[in-house]
Each structure stands twice: as structure tokens, then as C-alpha cells.
Amino acid sequence: MSKHIAVTSSLMFLWAGVANAYVVTTTDDAAPVHWAAYPVAYRVNADPTADVGGTAEAAVIDSSFAAWDDVVEETELFTNDGETESGYDDVMCQHKSLSADGTCSDQINTVVWAESEWAEGSGSIGLTYALFLVSTGEVFEADITMNGQHHDWATDGTEEAMDVANILTHEIGGRAQELRLSDAPAKLA
């Protein structure tokens, strides 16, 4: 079974231009990349970021996922499946070293902060890695990584820090194309 790794969403400090739309990701055979069923379960690393921590951070993470539930009425798109011990190194191993048969994938959608050894450059704030079947476009794992090495994080509006809700809601929104929410960006704008 052929599988594909895709980096489908990232934030950068400097933008080359402003985009007013998004493009649906497709496989080489033009199959749209999508989730097979809802709700999509996610787990948060047991120690998300040293900058915030506690129940406030957990509530903001859940509300960032819930923001997308509001786009599609009467449909729960995401559900919190608890904590995971999988850390940034585990996520990067899965996505950088995925074997042809997918044995590196844990098929858990993980939210994790990298407090050291961020692999994607200091300008990247967050990245979402999606794994999907090339034959069907079905997503079987999407992990969100947040750059805690080069950026401070906050949930209280601290000006010098990255806002957890804003950045995470953006990264989750990168999943909108897999959810086939063609009008989602307009409703959240």
C-alpha cells in the first residue's frame, strides 16, 4: 500500500504575498485528500509547552479545535482523545523516516511543542504533517508541531509571545481541505 507524507500547513514570519483562497490537496491520481470519518480524534503531548502549561493551555487547545466544529453545524469534526507521551522526536521520526509500509506511523493525530531541536527553521512557528494513502487520498494521521525553541507562547494576549489559540486554529484549519469544507475559510475570516 503506497503512502505519502505531506507538509500541508506552516506559518512563517515573512510572507511572500497574501492569499485569499486555499487549494484542495490531491494525490498524484487527482484523488482529494480527506478524512474517512468524523470526528477525528487528536491527542496532546502530556507536556505541551513550558511557556504556558496547566488547564488554561488545555482549554485553549480544545477551543481551537472546536472553532472548526462551529463551521459545520451539527457535526463534531474533532474530539480530544486525551494525552500522549509521544513527543516532537517521535513525531519527526514518523514523518521523516516513514517506511513504505507505514510501520513508523502510530496513526495518532498529535499536537506537540518542540522546546529544542526544531527541525524546520527558526522562522516557522507551526507545521502540520499529514500522512495519507496515495491510492484514495484518505488521511490516516496528521500531527501538528509548534516551535517552542524559537518562539515564546501565551494564552493571555502577551504581545511578545505567539498566541496559542491563533496559531493552533490556523494549523487545524490546514485540515479544512481534508474535511472538504469549501466555505470554511470564508466563515472563519
Side-chain angles (χ1 to χ4, degrees):
M1 186 180 306
S2 181
K3 297 183 182 186
H4 182 75
I5 298 174
V7 177
T8 58
S9 179
S10 69
L11 288 173
M12 301 297 287
F13 275 127
L14 301 174
W15 293 96
V18 176
N20 293 321
Y22 71 100
V23 176
V24 174
T25 302
T26 59
T27 67
D28 292 340
D29 295 330
V33 175
H34 64 282
W35 293 101
Y38 309 106
V40 174
Y42 66 91
R43 292 185 186 176
V44 179
N45 177 268
D47 188 21
T49 177
D51 296 337
V52 180
T55 58
E57 184 176 35
V60 168
I61 291 169
D62 286 341
S63 69
S64 296
F65 279 95
W68 287 98
D69 286 343
D70 294 341
V71 173
V72 180
E73 295 176 11
E74 300 179 24
T75 302
E76 182 183 19
L77 300 176
F78 299 101
T79 184
N80 185 328
D81 199 28
E83 293 183 345
T84 180
E85 293 299 319
S86 291
Y88 180 70
D89 291 338
D90 299 315
V91 167
M92 294 312 293
C93 174
Q94 293 166 17
H95 294 286
K96 299 265 182 190
S97 306
L98 186 67
S99 62
D101 64 358
T103 55
C104 289
S105 171
D106 62 6
Q107 298 190 13
I108 296 172
N109 305 303
T110 303
V111 177
V112 62
W113 268 260
E115 299 294 338
S116 63
E117 299 183 32
W118 176 258
E120 303 297 343
S122 62
S124 296
I125 300 169
L127 278 165
T128 300
Y129 295 91
L131 300 174
F132 57 87
L133 299 174
V134 173
S135 59
T136 65
E138 182 180 326
V139 176
F140 60 89
E141 181 177 347
D143 296 321
I144 298 173
T145 60
M146 308 290 266
N147 183 350
Q149 179 179 354
H150 299 103
H151 304 284
D152 293 327
W153 293 86
T155 59
D156 62 2
T158 301
E159 288 186 31
E160 301 82 30
M162 295 294 123
D163 184 77
V164 172
N166 287 339
I167 304 303
L168 190 55
T169 302
H170 169 84
E171 290 301 318
I172 297 163
R175 307 282 50 87
Q177 57 190 320
E178 284 79 29
L179 295 168
R180 296 188 185 179
L181 304 177
S182 60
D183 59 346
K187 287 185 179 180
L188 286 182

